[in-house]
Amino acid sequence: MSGELTQSVIKRIIRQVGLECATQGQSLSETLVAFMVKAVVLDPRNDFNMDRILTENDMQDLIQLCVTRLLDTTNPSLSTIKMQVYFDMNYTNRDELLSEQERVLEGKLAPVVRAITESGPHAQEEMANVYQNIVTYALVRSGMGSPTDTEAVREVTAALQSVFPQTEMITFISLSKKDKEQQLKDLAMLVTGIRLYNKQCQKGGSGIDDLPDILHEAIPSATRTLDERLNSCQLLAHRYTALLESMQEDPHRYSQLSAFKLKEALFNVRQYEAFLCILQSNAITSAQEVESLDVQFEAAMMVLKNTMQDKATIESKEVFPLFIELSKLWTSYQNEMLLLSFLTNIADNLQQFLEIQSQLFPEEMLTSLLEGVTVKSDEERIKETMGTRVNVSDFENQEWLFPETTDNFDQLLIQYHGFCAHSIGVKGITLPGNPAIGILNHKAKYYVFSSKEAAYIFAQDPDKFIQLNVEKAKKYAELIQLLELRHQFEYLVPHAQARNAKKGSMKPPPKRDSGTQTDTHILPPTIVRSYEWNEWELRRKAIKLANLRRKLTHAMQTDLSHMRRENFTQVYLPKDFGTQTKRDNSSNVPKPQIFLKGLRGGSSPTTHMVTVDLTRPLDET
């Protein structure tokens, strides 16, 4: 339907569904609505043909179905999809979270940095204002106190003056903007290190929390909370699984119970379990980081104390790197506090998507339904099948992997989030797979199974059962993310991509031109050029060689050539040369200016001519 159902139609349907839900008092995100629209279209029970154009009536039916599902508060599937959307839009890994926090801090400090780096003060009062901005920058960047805390400001000012007195402001102003920004960061770290050292020496520390002690209490507490919630949801998953297995064995006993709702509830707790495992792994990583930081921080503080001990003066090149190291370690403590707060907040918000469990299946109801039913945990199920494994000789065209014969066995990327590849499509339940039975390598993808029998059945026709799993995911849209089937539904926009699209950062997949070239003949040629296959050609060569045996070479010498040798003589050709016998010269003569007076005569009969010479000499011209 990707050709017929254009993007404009999809946006129209999503917008209409969102408006309908808003009129019913439910304000839903566009990502959630978009996913629900695609999920309803995929569900074969809704009879939307993917190969024909949707009519106006079809679109109205689609909108109504989406609105009904989005407003159904008793639907575990909707809670699971909301949980998946929430987690994808809010969770991020350590590096991305810390990068985002650094970006936020830089944005917060940007006005102060501009005020410091772009100003060119000359008056003493202006210098003092810029210096005070540097104090504010160092305090805010360190995260140890507030600019409104007078005692903290006083400590920062004293520490800054010890490494950067106001007399150096003239030098600072002459620096380039880039150098100013770098020096600001260095000064902030130096001030932070000095304040931490003073706090350790009990000479200050206003507004500085004892982060190591706080983390030592908060991390175990958060880990215990996650463990309790994880154990609780796992127990619920085990009970739902046992109940579904019992229903398949004796359907009449549970005639009043909806297997469809129970499967949706199972997928809900399994998704919740998967997210909690991610958070728990991050909490364990944080605990390990804090242990490492404790050792490094104590060692750095000890080195600094030994360097500073009983010394009135000390060179900056010895102590400044130690202060900077202290500052970096403290920043790592702050990062772990941020990460722990982030994980705790995510875990608390995930609980709201599990509330529907107690509404649909109260504790009393489950207890009564499970009478006489054996509830097995995932560990017990795996332990029961530890002694069995697939016999490789039973399969000619299938590749099976085992721990003792496969390198990096524990690092193989198992399909379906590690659940049994057979039970999902056939039974509609998520059973834990046991890799010890054998991992099937089918088309470069790895599958595990809950029992030897399930492995044998799946291996007879893997493509059939893979398609069954895809069809099951169409009926239960939440399985697309739980079982990591997004590659099977590429036309279904993933939540993470939808989130990036909302931020305007969706990018096309990176592409590049590449080429390869192979030598025509990698090995040197072994062609024998003298080889002949033609018999007559061989005969001709043989006759020629036979005739050569009868040939003689004669030579003679005459008297003129006797005892003569060739002679060679070499002369030097005359070389070109020239002479110059003439040179240009010039001279200047005065320009004569002679005037004659009286040539016309006058009243007197005698003509009197007077000669007037006005010629000027050369040195005057």
Side-chain angles (χ1 to χ4, degrees):
M1 189 164 60
S2 58
E4 293 80 7
L5 193 59
T6 60
Q7 290 297 322
S8 60
V9 176
I10 292 176
K11 291 180 180 179
R12 173 191 165 190
I13 294 174
I14 292 173
R15 184 169 58 252
Q16 189 65 32
V17 172
L19 291 175
E20 290 284 343
C21 292
T23 57
Q24 299 292 330
Q26 289 287 339
S27 179
L28 304 175
S29 67
E30 185 177 345
T31 304
L32 176 61
V33 176
F35 186 88
M36 185 58 70
V37 170
K38 300 294 180 68
V40 171
V41 171
L42 285 175
D43 194 339
R45 295 168 298 179
N46 297 326
D47 294 329
F48 285 106
N49 193 339
M50 303 285 288
D51 299 324
R52 67 178 178 83
I53 301 175
L54 287 180
T55 64
E56 187 66 28
N57 291 334
D58 290 336
M59 286 191 284
Q60 291 302 321
D61 293 341
L62 175 58
I63 292 172
Q64 192 58 41
L65 282 171
C66 293
V67 171
T68 303
R69 290 193 61 178
L70 288 170
L71 296 179
D72 185 4
T73 57
T74 63
N75 187 359
S77 176
L78 177 61
S79 296
T80 307
I81 293 174
K82 286 182 177 180
M83 185 197 313
Q84 293 170 345
V85 172
Y86 169 80
F87 193 82
D88 281 350
M89 294 187 68
N90 291 275
Y91 175 78
T92 184
N93 59 38
R94 289 174 60 93
D95 295 337
E96 291 178 356
L97 180 63
L98 297 180
S99 298
E100 178 67 16
Q101 178 64 17
E102 180 66 20
R103 187 188 65 79
V104 171
L105 180 60
E106 293 291 345
K108 183 179 179 180
L109 291 171
V112 182
V113 173
R114 283 196 299 270
I116 296 172
T117 58
E118 295 180 1
S119 62
H122 299 288
Q124 188 65 28
E125 184 178 353
E126 294 176 346
M127 291 275 194
N129 291 336
V130 174
Y131 194 84
Q132 189 59 40
N133 285 336
I134 296 177
V135 172
T136 303
Y137 173 88
L139 180 58
V140 174
R141 188 168 189 86
S142 68
M144 299 190 305
S146 170
T148 59
D149 187 350
T150 308
E151 186 64 23
V153 173
R154 187 187 63 79
E155 289 183 10
V156 172
T157 304
L160 182 62
Q161 288 178 346
S162 65
V163 295
F164 184 71
Q166 292 194 29
T167 55
E168 295 187 11
M169 281 296 296
I170 298 176
T171 305
F172 177 81
I173 293 170
S174 63
L175 297 176
S176 65
K177 182 178 180 180
K178 185 177 180 181
D179 292 339
K180 287 180 182 178
E181 292 176 353
Q182 183 59 45
Q183 187 165 351
L184 282 176
K185 293 180 180 180
D186 295 340
L187 290 174
M189 287 191 288
L190 285 173
V191 169
T192 302
I194 293 171
R195 292 187 67 198
L196 291 171
Y197 176 75
N198 291 339
K199 182 178 183 296
Q200 188 72 14
C201 298
Q202 299 181 352
K203 296 180 180 179
S206 175
I208 303 177
D209 297 326
D210 196 345
L211 296 185
D213 288 348
I214 294 174
L215 287 169
H216 293 160
E217 295 179 4
I219 290 181
S221 175
T223 306
R224 282 193 303 270
T225 302
L226 288 174
D227 288 339
E228 292 172 0
R229 294 175 180 175
L230 189 58
N231 292 333
S232 176
C233 80
Q234 286 175 342
L235 176 60
L236 206 54
H238 301 157
R239 299 174 79 179
Y240 288 160
T241 302
L243 195 55
L244 283 168
E245 288 179 326
S246 179
M247 289 178 66
Q248 292 174 356
E249 295 173 1
D250 186 7
H252 301 291
R253 178 182 174 184
Y254 306 97
S255 58
Q256 301 298 324
L257 188 61
S258 172
F260 191 80
K261 289 285 186 184
L262 192 57
K263 289 179 182 179
E264 289 182 338
L266 173 61
F267 300 149
N268 180 266
V269 292
R270 284 298 190 184
Q271 185 65 80
Y272 182 68
E273 175 192 7
F275 289 154
L276 285 184
C277 287
I278 295 174
L279 299 179
Q280 186 185 51
S281 175
N282 289 341
I284 293 173
T285 303
S286 290
Q288 296 171 348
E289 288 291 331
V290 169
E291 289 180 4
S292 175
L293 286 174
D294 289 340
V295 176
Q296 297 179 51
F297 188 80
E298 188 168 345
M301 187 64 74
M302 185 62 66
V303 172
L304 185 57
K305 284 184 177 180
N306 294 335
T307 305
M308 300 283 290
Q309 189 175 14
D310 301 331
K311 291 184 180 178
T313 59
I314 187 170
E315 293 186 11
S316 59
K317 65 180 180 180
E318 295 182 18
V319 72
F320 279 13
L322 300 179
F323 285 136
I324 292 176
E325 180 65 20
L326 271 186
S327 174
K328 291 180 179 178
L329 293 173
W330 195 259
T331 301
S332 298
Y333 275 123
Q334 293 173 327
N335 291 339
E336 295 305 323
M337 282 293 298
L338 172 68
L339 289 164
L340 185 62
S341 174
F342 172 74
L343 296 177
T344 305
N345 184 52
I346 292 286
D348 292 341
N349 290 330
L350 284 178
Q351 276 196 294
Q352 62 181 311
F353 305 109
L354 211 66
E355 294 175 353
I356 194 171
Q357 302 291 337
S358 59
Q359 300 174 13
L360 292 177
F361 306 103
E363 180 65 26
E364 298 80 8
M365 178 182 176
L366 280 178
T367 304
S368 62
L369 290 172
L370 288 170
E371 288 182 3
V373 178
T374 303
V375 178
K376 300 178 182 179
S377 66
D378 291 348
E379 293 77 11
E380 291 172 345
R381 292 177 183 273
I382 292 175
K383 189 178 295 184
E384 288 178 354
T385 57
M386 284 303 292
T388 61
R389 65 165 49 195
V390 171
N391 188 0
V392 180
S393 60
D394 295 339
F395 303 92
E396 296 181 358
N397 301 322
Q398 301 288 0
E399 180 184 2
W400 293 89
L401 307 178
F402 299 97
E404 63 274 7
T405 59
T406 306
D407 295 333
N408 301 320
F409 183 81
D410 296 334
Q411 299 178 9
L412 294 177
L413 184 61
I414 306 299
Q415 297 295 305
Y416 305 132
H417 200 70
F419 292 118
C420 176
H422 174 261
S423 63
I424 296 169
V426 176
K427 299 180 180 180
I429 57 179
T430 51
L431 295 177
N434 185 3
I437 296 174
I439 297 179
L440 175 64
N441 181 7
H442 178 69
K443 296 181 179 179
K445 294 181 180 178
Y446 306 103
Y447 303 90
V448 292
F449 308 95
S450 59
S451 65
K452 181 179 178 181
E453 294 75 17
Y456 272 71
I457 296 173
F458 185 92
Q460 291 176 2
D461 191 356
D463 293 328
K464 169 189 171 183
F465 291 100
I466 291 172
Q467 187 59 35
L468 282 177
N469 295 337
V470 172
E471 295 299 324
K472 189 67 66 175
K474 289 181 179 180
K475 292 179 64 177
Y476 301 92
E478 61 270 26
L479 288 179
I480 295 174
Q481 178 164 342
L482 175 60
L483 302 181
E484 300 170 353
L485 294 176
R486 287 181 177 173
H487 61 283
Q488 300 281 355
F489 301 91
E490 294 180 352
Y491 48 88
L492 188 64
V493 179
H495 299 152
Q497 289 186 11
R499 174 184 59 185
N500 293 338
K502 189 174 181 180
K503 295 180 180 178
S505 60
M506 181 178 287
K507 298 180 180 178
K511 298 180 180 179
R512 65 174 181 176
D513 294 332
S514 62
T516 56
Q517 183 177 358
T518 357
D519 293 336
T520 306
H521 299 290
I522 299 176
L523 299 176
T526 56
I527 300 175
V528 181
R529 302 291 179 183
S530 60
Y531 172 76
E532 284 291 347
W533 62 271
N534 192 330
E535 180 182 354
W536 294 101
E537 181 65 20
L538 292 174
R539 290 180 179 228
R540 187 183 68 79
K541 288 185 177 181
I543 294 172
K544 183 178 180 180
L545 291 174
N547 290 336
L548 285 175
R549 294 179 60 202
R550 302 189 187 94
K551 304 298 182 182
L552 296 177
T553 301
H554 298 278
M556 63 179 60
Q557 198 170 20
T558 62
D559 290 337
L560 294 177
S561 64
H562 181 55
M563 296 296 291
R564 296 293 180 90
R565 63 181 177 85
E566 295 179 352
N567 289 330
F568 297 93
T569 258
Q570 183 176 5
V571 297
Y572 290 101
L573 297 176
K575 60 181 179 179
D576 297 334
F577 61 93
T579 58
Q580 183 176 1
T581 57
K582 179 183 177 182
R583 65 186 179 90
D584 295 333
N585 202 350
S586 62
S587 61
N588 197 7
V589 296
K591 183 178 180 181
Q593 292 183 348
I594 300 174
F595 298 91
L596 301 177
K597 179 184 177 182
L599 291 178
R600 294 183 180 181
S603 56
S604 173
T606 306
T607 300
H608 296 280
M609 183 182 68
V610 178
T611 302
V612 179
D613 188 358
L614 298 179
T615 302
R616 301 182 62 186
L618 287 176
D619 55 353
E620 293 182 2
T621 57

